[in-house]
């Protein structure tokens, strides 16, 4: 997979993508992420990327020409992009399902807005997906772009060393993850559930399945309704519900 991020703050984006799991995957050539400085695609002496809005009003708007040139240069270099993402609070709310879909694509281009946003003709002519990371407004699309790229890249095979760790994460099978503990077994009087230190793998497995269901049920009942539960999970869920009825009686 290749991802090209178009931004006026390349250092900000590059810094985040150089670290951790994503940084290692880039260094090993598993994913190829390039951060593009939008100003490199301007043609005037001042390297202008914004202008005043037609119709007046506060703030500035990102000009179309540098963005068109940037996307066209990337397409010429890499081949036509599979998707061009625009980060915008007006887009579709980003989700695990969207990350899964994007992780299967070959070439992604991500546009980070600033100021009041981007000239609408960019969206109309170039963008395939408008994506929001939540119902709040940020000062720029860089953090949203990083959120999307991070979530997508970790689903690309080989990026996270242990594929099982991704398979167990929240949302992957429609449920939240179970709680995690590490050593020491007792810390300031706080203990780890007995079963986890028992060495009984079947017991541990069962505890984890039970806790995923319990957690999801209390925190995100909407997810339990949509989840494709196995027969065993349905039985565990019934057990949890029985247990709760008993304690409330
Ligand atoms: N005037 C715009 C907001 C501009 S914020 C509006 O009200 O819709 C400046 C830039 O930050 C946007 O162009 C977008 O790229 C980014 N941004 C801000 N909030 C975002 C969010 N919740 N999700 C994705 N991108 C966001």
């Amino acid at each position: 997979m290749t991802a090209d991020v178009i931004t006026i703050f390349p250092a900000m984006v590059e810094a985040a993508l150089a670290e951790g799991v994503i940084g290692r995957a880039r260094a090993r050539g598993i994913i190829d992420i390039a951060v593009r400085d939008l100003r490199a695609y301007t043609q005037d002496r001042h390297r202008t990327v914004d202008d005043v809005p037609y119709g007046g009003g506060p703030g500035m708007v990102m000009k179309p020409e540098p963005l068109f040139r940037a996307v066209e240069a990337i397409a010429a270099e890499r081949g036509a992009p599979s998707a061009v993402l625009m980060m915008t609070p007006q887009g579709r709310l980003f989700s695990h399902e969207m990350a899964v879909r994007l992780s299967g694509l070959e070439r992604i281009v991500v546009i980070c807005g600033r100021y009041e946003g981007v000239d609408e003709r960019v969206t109309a002519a170039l963008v395939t997906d408008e994506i929001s990371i939540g119902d709040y407004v940020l000062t720029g699309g860089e953090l949203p772009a990083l959120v999307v790229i991070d979530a997508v890249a970790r689903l690309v095979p080989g990026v996270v060393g242990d594929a099982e760790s991704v398979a167990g994460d929240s949302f992957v099978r429609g449920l939240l993850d179970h709680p995690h503990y590490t050593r020491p077994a007792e810390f300031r009087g706080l203990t780890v559930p007995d079963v986890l230190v028992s060495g009984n793998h079947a017991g541990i497995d069962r505890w984890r399945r039970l806790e995923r269901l319990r957690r999801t049920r209390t925190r995100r009942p909407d997810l339990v309704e949509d989840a494709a539960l196995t027969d065993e999970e349905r039985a565990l869920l019934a057990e949890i519900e029985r247990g709760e009825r008993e304690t409330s009686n």
Side-chain angles (χ1 to χ4, degrees):
M1 149 176 290
T2 72
D4 292 87
V5 188
I6 304 170
T7 168
I8 60 167
F9 294 119
M12 171 183 177
V13 176
E14 185 57 54
L17 293 173
E19 303 286 342
V21 167
I22 308 293
R24 267 197 307 280
R26 290 174 77 194
R28 282 161 45 217
I30 297 168
I31 44 172
D32 177 353
I33 306 177
V35 183
R36 313 278 183 159
D37 183 354
L38 182 61
R39 291 189 199 280
Y41 302 93
T42 57
Q43 288 178 318
D44 64 313
R45 204 156 57 86
H46 300 288
R47 310 218 295 163
T48 311
V49 294
D50 60 329
D51 205 338
V52 295
Y54 271 118
M60 300 295 274
V61 175
M62 291 181 82
K63 291 165 65 62
E65 310 94 303
L67 283 164
F68 270 77
R69 265 201 295 277
V71 172
E72 283 160 7
I74 292 163
E77 189 184 317
R78 303 269 210 192
S82 330
V84 178
L85 316 182
M86 173 68 79
M87 298 300 115
T88 162
Q90 302 176 27
R92 245 179 90 200
L93 213 49
F94 189 57
S95 66
H96 174 70
E97 285 68 34
M98 288 162 82
V100 169
R101 181 176 69 80
L102 294 172
S103 72
L105 300 182
E106 214 155 312
R107 288 185 291 273
I108 294 175
V109 174
V110 187
I111 300 175
C112 307
R114 279 272 155 181
Y115 319 114
E116 294 302 316
V118 175
D119 186 291
E120 194 63 25
R121 289 167 290 184
V122 174
T123 307
L126 299 177
V127 169
T128 60
D129 302 79
E130 295 179 75
I131 299 180
S132 166
I133 62 160
D135 290 346
Y136 40 78
V137 176
L138 301 162
T139 55
E142 285 75 14
L143 292 170
L146 287 166
V147 166
V148 169
I149 289 171
D150 191 282
V152 169
R154 66 191 292 290
L155 296 174
V156 172
V159 169
V160 174
D162 187 348
E164 245 179 75
S165 113
V166 173
D169 281 330
S170 298
F171 308 112
V172 170
R173 280 204 48 250
L175 297 176
L176 302 180
D177 200 0
H178 56 75
H180 297 272
Y181 293 89
T182 185
R183 286 176 289 192
E186 190 185 332
F187 174 69
R188 299 193 178 173
L190 305 170
T191 55
V192 170
D194 285 338
V195 62
L196 295 183
V197 293
S198 69
N200 169 1
H201 292 292
I204 293 168
D205 252 28
R206 190 184 136 81
W207 179 86
R208 287 181 170 164
R209 277 200 291 270
L210 202 62
E211 290 308 313
R212 296 171 146 268
L213 286 161
R214 203 194 301 282
R215 281 228 146 159
T216 314
R217 189 166 167 275
T218 32
R219 298 181 185 199
R220 293 293 303 277
D222 58 306
L223 292 180
V224 179
E225 285 189 8
D226 296 341
L229 299 181
T230 62
D231 289 346
E232 196 217 354
E233 284 168 335
R234 284 190 193 290
L236 288 172
L237 198 59
E239 184 180 319
I240 294 168
E241 282 162 6
R242 246 190 337 272
E244 278 174 17
R245 271 199 303 278
E246 270 155 32
T247 46
S248 69
N249 285 341

